[in-house]
Amino acid sequence: MVMLSKIQFCSHLTRHVAFCHLSVHRHKQRAGKEGQVLHRSKRGWVWNQFFVIEEYTGPDPVLVGRLHSDVDSGDGNIKYILSGEGAGTIFVIDDKTGNIHATKTLDREEQAQYTLTAQAVARDTNKPLEPPSEFIVKVQDINDNPPEFLHGPYYARVPEMSNVGTSVMQVTATDADDPTYGNSARLVYSILQGQPYFSVEPQTGIIRTALPNMDREARQEYDVVIQAKDMGGHMGGLSGTTEVKITLTDVNDNPPKFPQSVYSMTVSEDKVPGEEVGRLHAKDPDLGDNGLVNYRLIDGDGITMFELSTDSETREAVVKLKKPVDFETKRSYTLKVEGSNPHVDPQFLAWGPYKDEATIKISVEDADEPPVFVAPSYTFEVEENAPEGTLVGRVHAKDTDVANNPVRYMIPRYTDVEQFFSINSEDGMITTTRPLDREAQPWHNISVSATEIGHHQDTKVRVNIKVKDVNDNPPEFATNNEVLMCETVAPGKVEFLKLSIDLKHASFYISIFFFYLNSCLCVPTDSTASIYVLRKGFSRLTQDVYYLPIEINDNGFPAMSSTNTLTIRVCSCDSKDTILSCNVEPYVLPAGLSTGALIAILACIVILLAIVVLFVALRRQKKEPLIVFEEEDIRENIITYDDEGGGEEDTEAFDIATLQNPDGANGFLPRKDIKPELQYPIRPGIGRPAANSVDVDDFIKTRIAEADSDPTAPPYDSIQIYGYEGRGSLAGSLSSLESVTTESDLDYDYLQSWGPRFKKLADLYGTKDCSINDADDGEDS
C-alpha cells in the first residue's frame, strides 16, 4: 500500500495568482516472509524560488508564500519557525498556517534576494519534527530607475573641416534595473540638441560629425544634448540626458591676407639706419602655428635701402631704414612685400596658395640737415717758425637742403686749447696765430665746425696740421758726452758718438781740436762720429780725464753749428779690454801698512766697542739718582718705609719735618746729570712754613710751588709709602683696608683741619662717628 505525504508551497503574486507546487513522495510497503508490513515515511520539500515584487505600496503585507508539512494535521500542534536574512523584520511567518508575508517595501537595487531557513517544530516541546531547510526569496524587478550618465557633462574636441562620420567621443549611461529581466535596463541613445551638426549611434552612444566643412572661424563651440532611454526606447521607458560641449580645433585652412593692397609710408631724411619707418600686418584667422606669417621683401627699387623684420609680440611686419636716404637725391621708393604661412597642412594644400602680396610706397621727407663738408677730413702742412697769419689751408662745407643757406665756420676751443690757429668764419681759411715749433709739437689735430645761418645744427670735420721742419736747431750729442777708454788702448782705436741733429739736414762734418791734432772726420748716415786714438801710453796716475772740444756743423740752410765738450775718462782694463775700474781714489791712499797692522787696528776697535757696551749695561742695571743730596733727601724719591718701631715708646718716630728739603731753603737743588750754571732764587711771595708746622695742606702747596718754579727739578712727583708703625702704636697700621674693619676708639676729627686734600679721609672716618652719634642721639630722644 502506498501512503502519500505531501507538503504544499504556495506563492502568491501581487496579481493574486496562486502557484502551488506539489511534491509527492511515495512510501513503498514491502512484505516480508512473515507477512509483516513495513512503513517508511520520508518528508520531501519541493522547493522553488519565491518571488516578491519590489516597490509594493499596498495597504496589506504582501503574501510571499506558504509552508505546509504533511505532518501537520491541522490541530495546531505544529509550529512553523522562520530564520535568516530579514526574518522577523522584513519577512514574518504565521506559526500556525505557515504563511510568509513581506512587511516592508523592498528595493531590488538595494538587495536582490534573501536567504531564509524554515523548520517545523512541536508547539509544546519545540522539538524539531523535521530538519531545517533553506529557501530563497527573490525580489522581482520593475522599471523604477532611469538611465544615468555618471561622468557628464562631457567635453570633446574635433578638428574643423572633418569628414562626415568622424568620431567625436562615446558617452555611456548606466541603468540600475535588472538587465536579465525584461527590458528595464536595455538602453537606446538619441540626440536631442546638436543636429544637424552631429549624430549619435543608438546602441553604442558614439557621437559623430554629421555635416562636412564645419569651419572653426565661423563657429567654434557646439552644445550637444544626448538622451539615453530604457525599455528599448519604447513608450513608458525612463530616460536620462547629458550635455556634451564639442569644440572645433584649428587647422591651417586659411591663407594670410593683407587688408590693403597698397600701403603708404613716409621717412625723414634725417633718420638714421635702424629706425622704424612703418608697419603692416597680414591677417590670418587661424590660431597658433597655423596663423603664423613670415614676411619678406621680394621686389622694389628700395630693397637695398630698407629692411623687413617681424615683431615677436604683435606678429607685424616692421619696415626699418637700412641706409640713410636723401631727399635731394631720391624722394620716393617702392617695395613689394610677401606674407606667407610657414606651416602648411598637406590635406588642405589644394585650398592654397597660402601667401599674399602687398605694395609699399615710401616717400622721403625733407629735413633741416646740417652742412656737409666736401671732404671727410683734411690734412695740411705748414713750416715751423712761420710768422703769424700764415695760411694753413681751407675747408669747405655746403648746405644740402633746398634752401642752400650760407655756412659759417669756427674752431671749437677744446680742440685748440692754446689757440695756435684761427679760421675765417665765411670762407673757411685757416691761418696761424703764432710761430709753431716742430720740436715741441710736430702735429696739431683740430676740429672745424660748420653751421647754417639761422639754424643750430652743425657738423664737424677733423683737420690734421703737420708742422714741417726747418734747420733751426744746431747738432749736438744725443747721449751722455762721456767716453770710457782703457789706459792700454792702442793707436787707431775707434770710439763712437751718437749725435742729435735735424734729420732733414743730415749732411754735416765735425772739427776736433785735441792738443796738436786738428782733423775733419766724416759722419755715417746713422748719426755717429768716429773718434780715433792717435797715441798710446795713457796713465790714470798721470791724467785720468781728458776734455775734448768738438765743433759740429750741418749743411742746412741756414747752416747751424755747435761746440760740445767730450769727456774721455781713462780706465783700468784687463787683457781683454774689459773695463775694471775708472775710479782714481785707490791710487792716492797712503801705502806702507802691512796686513798685520790692519788686523791689530781692527782688534783694538773691537775691544773698545766691547768696553762701551759693558759700561752701558752696568749703568742700566744700577742707576744713580739724578740729584745729589748732601744729606738724605727723600723729596723726589719713592721710599718704602717698612721699619718696625717701638710704637708710642719709639722716641725717634717719623717727623714731618724730615720732608723739608734743607737744600731747597736757599732755592737751589743740585742735579747730578747736569751742572747748573745759574742759581735760581726762590720767587718772592711764596711763604715757607715752619719746620715743625703740622699744617700739611700748606706744606704740600709750598712744595708744589717750589717744583713749578724750579727749572732744575726733575719732571716727576714723589710718593711716600708708610708701613707699619709698630706693635706699641695706638694707631696700628695706616692701611685703609684694615682701618675700615677695625673698631678703634681713635678720633679722626683732626683730619678736618688738614685742608681740602684730606677731606675724603675726613669723610670716611669722621662721618662714621658722626652718623653713629646721630643715630644714638635719635634713639635717646
Side-chain angles (χ1 to χ4, degrees), residues 532-552:
Y532 293 91
V533 179
L534 302 181
R535 66 179 181 84
K536 63 178 181 177
F538 293 94
S539 175
R540 287 189 298 160
L541 298 179
T542 304
Q543 185 174 354
D544 60 337
V545 178
Y546 293 90
Y547 298 100
L548 180 63
I550 298 178
E551 180 181 349
I552 306 174

Side-chain angles (χ1 to χ4, degrees), residues 371-433:
V372 178
F373 284 94
V374 296
S377 63
Y378 295 88
T379 300
F380 302 120
E381 292 184 352
V382 61
E383 290 187 352
E384 65 175 333
N385 299 326
E388 177 184 354
T390 300
L391 178 63
V392 177
R394 179 184 179 185
V395 296
H396 179 65
K398 60 181 180 179
D399 182 14
T400 58
D401 296 329
V402 178
N404 194 16
N405 296 319
V407 178
R408 294 294 178 262
Y409 305 93
M410 65 170 293
I411 299 176
R413 288 300 91 189
Y414 65 88
T415 64
D416 184 21
V417 179
E418 299 184 15
Q419 301 183 9
F420 287 107
F421 306 95
S422 63
I423 188 171
N424 190 305
S425 61
E426 296 182 358
D427 57 12
M429 292 291 185
I430 301 175
T431 56
T432 61
T433 59

Side-chain angles (χ1 to χ4, degrees), residues 472-511:
D472 59 343
N473 292 286
E476 60 184 7
F477 292 148
T479 59
N480 187 17
N481 56 348
E482 182 176 282
V483 176
L484 303 180
M485 181 183 67
C486 295
E487 58 183 349
T488 58
V489 65
K493 181 67 176 179
V494 180
E495 301 291 345
F496 295 97
L497 288 177
K498 186 71 175 179
L499 306 178
S500 175
I501 58 175
D502 287 340
L503 295 179
K504 182 179 177 181
H505 310 283
S507 177
F508 62 95
Y509 63 92
I510 300 177
S511 297

Side-chain angles (χ1 to χ4, degrees), residues 242-256:
T242 187
E243 182 178 337
V244 182
K245 186 177 288 292
I246 301 176
T247 303
L248 298 183
T249 59
D250 184 62
V251 297
N252 190 8
D253 59 336
N254 295 283

